[in-house]
Amino acid sequence: MTEKLSAEEFDRNYESVLERLAAASRRAGRSPDEITLLAATKTVDADTINYAVDKGITHIGENRVQELLSKFDSLKPVHRHFIGHLQTNKVRDIIDKVEMIESVDSLRLANEISKQAVRSERSVDVLLEVNIGGEPSKSGFAPEETESALREISRLPGIRVKGLMAIPPAADLPEETRKYFRNMYKLFIDMRDKKIDNSIMSVLSMGMSNDFDVAVEEGATLVRVGTSLFGGRVYK
Ligand SMILES: *Cc1c(COP(=O)(O)O)cnc(C)c1O
């Protein structure tokens, strides 16, 4: 749970995030309308999320299955994404609860999503997670295996590939992350230009509290922001 965040605090945070988004868009010659602000809501209680939705938040992202399930029924209508590492045996629990799974990091997971989507007669949007920093500790497809993964996953029933997602290596300074964002954008454009059947390549999800300005400058279409909206997380 985030330590009780006051309405005024959220309002101030939200305004400042919108200002950063607008400024970064301006610097990049882009319209802020091209960029989706997704609130990363791990550890944030349902009341606070609903307040944020009232204020204008349209998209939320959860990264733990249990937490998503526990809040699900209490949330106002809002676009729900899954953004965390997803175990194949949990796919069934969330398949009808999210409209996009941003964190598809293996063929095995993609196959399970497809299977469960077909079983529940749904179609689920997904992003392929790319391990853009080549970190051994992180999941995701290597940049050079992204195309073959994309070709394979695009063929699966019940799945619509909408784009790519990345969590670059942690850095002290946002500028250090720019090269990873730039490489992601190149990969995104490259995959888009291949015009692979059943893949659309309209979403490039990258950038978090520390560096979403830079991500927007480098072509992100969706940024995932937690701390800058809700304050620091306290895990209990
Ligand atoms: C928590 C989280 C974010 C948001 O991180 P902040 O630094 O708090 O903005 C973004 N993406 C994923 C996958 C996350 O788990």
Side-chain angles (χ1 to χ4, degrees), residues 40 42 63 83 165 167 208-209 224-227 233:
K42 56 174 171 276
N63 61 352
I83 62 176
M165 180 268 220
I167 307 172
M208 318 204 301
S209 290
R224 306 176 310 267
V225 180
T227 311
R233 289 181 286 273

mmCIF file of all heavy atoms in Angstrom, residues 40 42 63 83 165 167 208-209 224-227 233, ligand 1:
data_model
loop_
_atom_site.group_PDB
_atom_site.id
_atom_site.type_symbol
_atom_site.label_atom_id
_atom_site.label_comp_id
_atom_site.label_asym_id
_atom_site.label_seq_id
_atom_site.Cartn_x
_atom_site.Cartn_y
_atom_site.Cartn_z
ATOM 1 N N ALA A 40 0.755 3.047 -13.348
ATOM 2 C CA ALA A 40 1.194 1.770 -12.783
ATOM 3 C C ALA A 40 0.713 1.725 -11.343
ATOM 4 O O ALA A 40 1.173 2.504 -10.511
ATOM 5 C CB ALA A 40 2.712 1.649 -12.876
ATOM 6 N N LYS A 42 0.538 -0.798 -8.918
ATOM 7 C CA LYS A 42 0.904 -1.780 -7.894
ATOM 8 C C LYS A 42 1.000 -1.083 -6.543
ATOM 9 O O LYS A 42 1.491 0.041 -6.461
ATOM 10 C CB LYS A 42 2.215 -2.472 -8.247
ATOM 11 C CG LYS A 42 3.407 -1.568 -8.471
ATOM 12 C CD LYS A 42 4.680 -2.403 -8.675
ATOM 13 C CE LYS A 42 5.842 -1.553 -9.121
ATOM 14 N NZ LYS A 42 5.869 -1.330 -10.564
ATOM 15 N N ASN A 63 0.925 -5.402 -12.020
ATOM 16 C CA ASN A 63 1.934 -6.408 -12.363
ATOM 17 C C ASN A 63 1.970 -7.624 -11.452
ATOM 18 O O ASN A 63 2.887 -8.419 -11.524
ATOM 19 C CB ASN A 63 3.316 -5.787 -12.539
ATOM 20 C CG ASN A 63 3.805 -5.124 -11.290
ATOM 21 O OD1 ASN A 63 3.038 -5.003 -10.327
ATOM 22 N ND2 ASN A 63 5.051 -4.718 -11.281
ATOM 23 N N ILE A 83 1.208 -5.732 -16.704
ATOM 24 C CA ILE A 83 2.531 -5.247 -17.100
ATOM 25 C C ILE A 83 3.677 -5.988 -16.423
ATOM 26 O O ILE A 83 4.836 -5.646 -16.631
ATOM 27 C CB ILE A 83 2.671 -3.720 -16.840
ATOM 28 C CG1 ILE A 83 2.526 -3.377 -15.353
ATOM 29 C CG2 ILE A 83 1.647 -2.928 -17.668
ATOM 30 C CD1 ILE A 83 2.765 -1.885 -15.027
ATOM 31 N N MET A 165 7.215 -3.638 -25.824
ATOM 32 C CA MET A 165 7.368 -3.033 -24.502
ATOM 33 C C MET A 165 8.793 -3.298 -24.025
ATOM 34 O O MET A 165 9.394 -4.309 -24.392
ATOM 35 C CB MET A 165 6.359 -3.707 -23.559
ATOM 36 C CG MET A 165 6.367 -3.206 -22.149
ATOM 37 S SD MET A 165 7.465 -4.141 -21.067
ATOM 38 C CE MET A 165 6.445 -4.201 -19.601
ATOM 39 N N ILE A 167 11.678 -2.564 -20.537
ATOM 40 C CA ILE A 167 12.140 -1.973 -19.279
ATOM 41 C C ILE A 167 13.666 -1.935 -19.365
ATOM 42 O O ILE A 167 14.325 -2.932 -19.100
ATOM 43 C CB ILE A 167 11.713 -2.823 -18.063
ATOM 44 C CG1 ILE A 167 10.198 -3.092 -18.099
ATOM 45 C CG2 ILE A 167 12.118 -2.140 -16.765
ATOM 46 C CD1 ILE A 167 9.720 -4.090 -17.035
ATOM 47 N N MET A 208 9.275 5.185 -17.501
ATOM 48 C CA MET A 208 8.651 5.133 -16.187
ATOM 49 C C MET A 208 8.909 6.485 -15.496
ATOM 50 O O MET A 208 9.386 7.423 -16.128
ATOM 51 C CB MET A 208 9.217 3.964 -15.382
ATOM 52 C CG MET A 208 9.367 2.699 -16.232
ATOM 53 S SD MET A 208 9.382 1.124 -15.364
ATOM 54 C CE MET A 208 10.757 1.290 -14.277
ATOM 55 N N SER A 209 8.589 6.572 -14.206
ATOM 56 C CA SER A 209 8.661 7.877 -13.534
ATOM 57 C C SER A 209 9.971 8.625 -13.786
ATOM 58 O O SER A 209 9.992 9.821 -14.050
ATOM 59 C CB SER A 209 8.488 7.698 -12.020
ATOM 60 O OG SER A 209 7.154 7.321 -11.745
ATOM 61 N N ARG A 224 4.483 4.204 -18.657
ATOM 62 C CA ARG A 224 3.931 3.555 -17.462
ATOM 63 C C ARG A 224 4.468 4.267 -16.227
ATOM 64 O O ARG A 224 5.646 4.159 -15.908
ATOM 65 C CB ARG A 224 4.339 2.077 -17.441
ATOM 66 C CG ARG A 224 3.981 1.307 -18.728
ATOM 67 C CD ARG A 224 4.506 -0.129 -18.651
ATOM 68 N NE ARG A 224 5.905 -0.193 -18.260
ATOM 69 C CZ ARG A 224 6.921 -0.226 -19.108
ATOM 70 N NH1 ARG A 224 6.722 -0.235 -20.405
ATOM 71 N NH2 ARG A 224 8.163 -0.254 -18.652
ATOM 72 N N VAL A 225 3.607 4.986 -15.538
ATOM 73 C CA VAL A 225 4.083 5.862 -14.469
ATOM 74 C C VAL A 225 3.433 5.500 -13.132
ATOM 75 O O VAL A 225 2.204 5.491 -13.015
ATOM 76 C CB VAL A 225 3.795 7.334 -14.826
ATOM 77 C CG1 VAL A 225 4.277 8.256 -13.712
ATOM 78 C CG2 VAL A 225 4.458 7.701 -16.158
ATOM 79 N N GLY A 226 4.260 5.176 -12.155
ATOM 80 C CA GLY A 226 3.756 4.847 -10.822
ATOM 81 C C GLY A 226 4.120 5.925 -9.808
ATOM 82 O O GLY A 226 3.299 6.744 -9.410
ATOM 83 N N THR A 227 5.382 5.908 -9.407
ATOM 84 C CA THR A 227 5.854 6.780 -8.328
ATOM 85 C C THR A 227 5.522 8.260 -8.537
ATOM 86 O O THR A 227 5.124 8.948 -7.589
ATOM 87 C CB THR A 227 7.383 6.618 -8.181
ATOM 88 O OG1 THR A 227 7.679 5.220 -8.122
ATOM 89 C CG2 THR A 227 7.884 7.277 -6.925
ATOM 90 N N ARG A 233 6.514 3.690 -3.098
ATOM 91 C CA ARG A 233 5.789 2.485 -2.669
ATOM 92 C C ARG A 233 6.361 1.970 -1.375
ATOM 93 O O ARG A 233 7.553 1.936 -1.185
ATOM 94 C CB ARG A 233 5.902 1.401 -3.744
ATOM 95 C CG ARG A 233 5.116 1.687 -4.971
ATOM 96 C CD ARG A 233 5.256 0.567 -5.968
ATOM 97 N NE ARG A 233 6.557 0.567 -6.605
ATOM 98 C CZ ARG A 233 6.861 1.263 -7.705
ATOM 99 N NH1 ARG A 233 5.951 2.023 -8.259
ATOM 100 N NH2 ARG A 233 8.053 1.202 -8.229
HETATM 101 C C1 LIG B 1 6.110 -0.306 -11.266
HETATM 102 C C2 LIG B 1 6.234 -0.344 -12.739
HETATM 103 C C3 LIG B 1 6.282 0.831 -13.494
HETATM 104 C C4 LIG B 1 6.250 2.217 -12.876
HETATM 105 O O1 LIG B 1 7.441 2.474 -12.208
HETATM 106 P P1 LIG B 1 7.683 3.881 -11.488
HETATM 107 O O2 LIG B 1 9.148 4.029 -11.487
HETATM 108 O O3 LIG B 1 7.091 3.791 -10.140
HETATM 109 O O4 LIG B 1 7.016 4.913 -12.337
HETATM 110 C C5 LIG B 1 6.363 0.712 -14.862
HETATM 111 N N1 LIG B 1 6.408 -0.504 -15.482
HETATM 112 C C6 LIG B 1 6.388 -1.645 -14.784
HETATM 113 C C7 LIG B 1 6.463 -2.923 -15.518
HETATM 114 C C8 LIG B 1 6.304 -1.605 -13.394
HETATM 115 O O5 LIG B 1 6.284 -2.750 -12.711
#
